[in-house]
Structure formats: structure tokens, C-alpha cells
Amino acid sequence: MVVHAIIVAAGKGLRAAGDGPKQFQLLGSKPLYQWSLEAFETHPAVQQIALVVPSDRYEYFASKHQSERIKIIAGGRKRTTSVRAGLKALDARSNHIVMIHDAARPGLDATMISSLIDTLSDADAAAPALPLADALKRLDGDSIRSITRDDLYRVQTPQAFYYGKIQAALETTSESFVDDLAAIEASGGKIRLVQGDERLSKVTWPDDLNRMEKILRSETLSPRIGTGFDVHAFGPGDHVTLCGLKVAHSKGLIGHSDADVAWHTLTDAILGALALGDIGDHFPPSDKNWKGAESSLFLKHASDLAYQAGYLIANCDITLICEQPKIGPHREAMRETTARLLALPLSSISVKATTTERLGFTGRGEGIAAQAACMLVPK
Ligand code: MG
């Protein structure tokens, strides 16, 4: 099945305030219209895309996006005029499918495109729609009357048609329609609604951009990975602190804080995943505040930063490198203290240990080294 798309981005869209029309404002890392453009571009059935932009921005968009597959079209004053211009520009046959979509609805995905294609096997037109959840009232002067909402739907886009049918429906009249489905309604065609999606809600008001950014946040972020490495030398003492746990030993670890080499390493792995520097940047050794500090403070700080940036820790893997003390007997307890501090399931935390076969500084028992990897996923 050959599919074409028209993205209508020619509106003034001034209700969303900000800089210029809403469809060109940034949502996450890219302008609003680009979310829809990429959804169509990456769908294998979509052959050609007409992006209809305001006529005074034509040159800019033509230089940025024009290609074999993407046609930049100067739109008209009314939405229906812009849609007509888009239809005219496509190299489509009457039995091809065309999807007409508002640039101000950024949450389009391949599943929705495919579902609309399937639905057209049995209809002249198809569109996503959601039932109304709020009570509806009609305000008439001073009187308010309830309206039953049972059969009422919010219809979204993309709206899908056979090219020949929508072109004919729009050609036979100079009327302007509230949406493209209305043209098929007027011509008596068969329409089917598919389950809509809140992510396809229209960005109209100033708050909508923020709300949509939250909904789509997981899509603006990619998983991230970080690694850490740290070494502390042995000094006088009767225990070492590893993963917040005091392990009896004939020596202690030297450090400005409690010298918890395992948690320092993990802190660095999380900061590394966020590209936010290292533990020394956040807690300078020159700062007296951190003298003798518990390393739980450092690790918690890094995990809070990850959370604030929109991430959850998927898993982490710590390797301790030393001859003594033996880590094995404490390994499970170390996983537990780490999981508890980070509020993660035990299955997300791995603690391993190795020796270096008596080679190097760890082999000579001069200190403990640790390395860690950590994966962050959008929450
Ligand atoms: Mg350290």
C-alpha cells in the first residue's frame, strides 16, 4: 500500500504564545512540526510527505528539508486551502492513501500510522478519536444545561483517506471544513474511528507545550551509560568501608571522606552517564565539609541528579579489585546496602570481586581499586 502524508504547519498558531507560531517552537530538542515529520519519514509505507508551511517561511523550509521525498509547500490563509495545496503537490494516484496531519500534534508514532492504514481496508476515511471524560454543559445566557457525552468523541489527526476520495470531496466545494473528515462526512463516505492517543492532543495553549514535553519526555531522552574507576591506598586502621558496610581488616583505607572506594566508583559511573563531571567536581577534597563524610551522601547526590534529569538507574555493576579483605562473604550485604540507598530492587545491583593474581599495587596489597558501570533509562 502506497501512503503519502500532508503535514499542515501553515497556521498562525498564536494562542500558544512564545516566539511565533507554535508549530515551530521547540519541544524537547526539536521544533514541534519535526516530531511528526520524523514519524512519517521513518515509516516504511510512507512514500512522499508534503510539509505545508506559511508562505513567508517557504524559502527557509525549502532550504532545510526539500528532497525527493519531502515537498515543501506554501500554505494558504485557511487550513482547507493549505490541505488542497498539499494534495495537489503529491505524486499520488487515486487508490493511494493520504494522511493529513496537524503539525501541532507531536505524539505520532508508527503504530498509529499502521493502524490507520489497516482501518482503511474497510472505510473511506479513518481517524484517531478519544471519548470525552469530562462532563459537558451548554451555557445559554444564565442557564446551564447538561449535555450527554455518551456518543461524543474528540477527533485527532492524522486523518487517513484514499487520495481520490478526499480530493474529490474537497474539489466539489469551495467550503472550508473544521477538519478533513468533515469533507468526507459531507460527501456521505464511510468513516471509521480508531483508538486515539493523549500524545496526539493538539498543542494550543501556552501550558500545552510543557504538558506535552512531560508526556513525551521519555522520547526526548535516550538511555545513557557511564563507567567509574577509583583507587584508595591502605593506611592504619582496623576496618575498611565498602558499599557503606564496615568490613573488619588489619588496615584501613586512606581518604578525605570515609574512603568507600566502591561507592565513589559508582558515584562516578552515574555522573559519567549524565556527563556531569566527576565526584571531585561535586565534592572537592579541598572542602572541609566532606572531611570524614559518609559516601552515601555522594552516591545519593548523583542518583538525585539522574532523577532530576528524567532518568532512573536501570542497573549497576561494581567490581572490587583486591587480595584482602575477602569480598565474597560480604557481597550480598553490599548489594543490599546499595539497593536500599538507591531505592532499587536487589536484582538491579551487582557486586563482584577479583584479585590481580598478586600483580601490581592491588596484588602487593597496597590498596583497593574498584570499577563500575551504570545504565540510566528515561523514567
Ligand atoms: Mg575516591
Side-chain angles (χ1 to χ4, degrees):
M1 183 51 77
V2 178
V3 179
H4 305 273
I6 298 172
I7 301 173
V8 186
K12 288 205 164 59
L14 296 175
R15 279 180 291 183
D19 303 322
K22 67 201 170 196
Q23 64 271 29
F24 306 122
Q25 289 179 32
L26 278 183
L27 174 67
S29 58
K30 55 199 174 199
L32 201 52
Y33 76 92
Q34 202 166 325
W35 288 77
S36 303
L37 184 61
E38 287 176 10
F40 284 124
E41 256 187 304
T42 50
H43 194 289
V46 176
Q47 188 165 295
Q48 210 171 43
I49 304 161
L51 177 64
V52 189
V53 299
S55 50
D56 59 354
R57 295 187 182 224
Y58 173 81
E59 297 293 336
Y60 169 77
F61 282 97
S63 68
K64 191 172 154 92
H65 291 297
Q66 189 90 266
S67 67
E68 280 279 294
R69 200 162 165 225
I70 301 174
K71 294 198 159 196
I72 304 300
I73 312 298
R77 257 184 226 223
K78 290 194 168 163
R79 191 179 182 287
T80 312
T81 317
S82 295
V83 170
R84 285 191 177 103
L87 283 170
K88 203 172 158 199
L90 293 172
D91 303 316
R93 296 198 188 146
S94 65
N95 65 343
H96 288 176
I97 287 174
V98 59
M99 296 199 182
I100 306 176
H101 183 56
D102 295 331
R105 301 179 187 271
L108 181 61
D109 60 20
T111 312
M112 178 59 75
I113 295 172
S114 298
S115 149
L116 289 166
I117 295 171
D118 291 347
T119 307
L120 273 195
S121 64
D122 174 28
D124 299 315
L130 287 170
L132 286 177
D134 298 322
L136 282 186
K137 308 284 179 191
R138 186 186 298 280
L139 187 61
D140 186 8
D142 285 341
S143 76
I144 287 183
R145 197 161 52 82
S146 290
I147 298 171
T148 172
R149 64 172 183 229
D150 296 351
D151 305 326
L152 296 179
Y153 285 85
R154 293 155 52 198
V155 178
Q156 305 174 316
T157 77
Q159 299 182 349
F161 309 89
Y162 286 102
Y163 182 81
K165 296 237 157 108
I166 185 66
Q167 205 199 26
L170 287 174
E171 239 171 30
T172 52
T173 168
S174 59
E175 228 181 297
S176 190
F177 296 98
V178 59
D179 66 354
D180 308 295
L181 222 49
I184 297 293
E185 287 165 37
S187 66
K190 182 177 175 188
I191 296 170
R192 282 192 55 195
L193 299 178
V194 305
Q195 176 68 37
D197 188 333
E198 282 304 337
R199 301 178 323 140
L200 281 173
S201 296
K202 195 170 188 173
V203 172
T204 305
W205 305 103
D207 275 354
D208 293 349
L209 268 176
N210 292 333
R211 193 174 48 85
M212 195 55 81
E213 187 153 8
K214 282 192 189 106
I215 295 176
L216 295 176
R217 192 162 198 183
S218 63
E219 289 160 50
T220 68
L221 300 174
S222 324
R224 299 184 69 103
I225 193 163
T227 66
F229 179 76
D230 194 23
V231 174
H232 280 261
F234 283 127
D238 59 3
H239 72 274
V240 295
T241 303
L242 296 171
C243 295
L245 212 69
K246 284 187 178 177
V247 176
H249 190 48
S250 55
K251 299 167 189 164
L253 287 173
I254 302 169
H256 188 67
S257 62
D258 63 6
D260 188 334
V261 63
W263 276 1
H264 289 188
T265 301
L266 184 53
T267 302
D268 262 352
I270 298 170
L271 292 174
L274 294 167
L276 285 178
D278 61 32
I279 193 169
D281 296 326
H282 293 258
F283 304 96
S286 55
D287 188 333
K288 283 203 246 0
N289 278 330
W290 316 125
K291 176 116 188 85
E294 288 186 12
S295 297
S296 56
L297 199 84
F298 310 150
L299 183 53
K300 188 74 174 44
H301 172 76
S303 103
D304 286 349
L305 286 177
Y307 193 81
Q308 285 157 26
Y311 287 99
L312 294 174
I313 296 171
N315 73 305
C316 32
D317 183 16
I318 304 170
T319 303
L320 288 162
I321 306 161
C322 58
E323 303 288 334
Q324 291 289 336
K326 289 288 169 225
I327 304 298
H330 308 286
R331 214 168 74 167
E332 288 310 300
M334 290 178 186
R335 290 177 67 207
E336 279 167 28
T337 50
T338 308
R340 204 178 313 134
L341 185 79
L342 296 174
L344 290 174
L346 200 55
S347 58
S348 296
I349 309 290
S350 156
V351 175
K352 317 197 298 296
T354 185
T355 68
T356 47
E357 302 291 346
R358 302 195 172 275
L359 297 170
F361 67 88
T362 52
R364 292 188 297 270
E366 294 167 8
I368 301 181
Q371 61 185 37
C374 168
M375 174 69 93
L376 303 181
V377 289
K379 64 184 177 204

